[in-house]
Amino acid sequence: MSPNRSSTAAAARRAQREEEQRVRKARERRNKIITLSVCAFVFFALAGTTTYLLFTIKG
């Protein structure tokens, strides 16, 4: 194998590794956004329910 092929193969592996990292980071970012959205929804649902119950009980 010539040195040129070796460096080309290394560059291809490096490019594939970088692409996999980019995809993984994008997935992690998406998962973090989904998690924060769900947490915010649950928080506001609990806050709203608590407020509703407090004002309903006081009559």
Side-chain angles (χ1 to χ4, degrees):
M1 192 185 316
S2 70
N4 205 11
R5 280 189 188 171
S6 178
S7 63
T8 303
R13 284 192 303 270
R14 187 169 40 252
Q16 185 169 359
R17 227 179 8 254
E18 289 172 357
E19 177 65 15
E20 289 170 355
Q21 284 181 338
R22 187 189 66 74
V23 168
R24 189 180 73 246
K25 285 182 181 180
R27 187 181 322 114
E28 289 172 356
R29 216 175 10 255
R30 187 181 64 240
N31 288 345
K32 187 180 293 186
I33 290 170
I34 291 170
T35 301
L36 289 173
S37 299
V38 170
C39 288
F41 175 79
V42 169
F43 173 78
F44 286 115
L46 286 174
T49 303
T50 303
T51 303
Y52 171 77
L53 289 174
L54 285 173
F55 285 111
T56 307
I57 291 171
K58 286 184 178 179

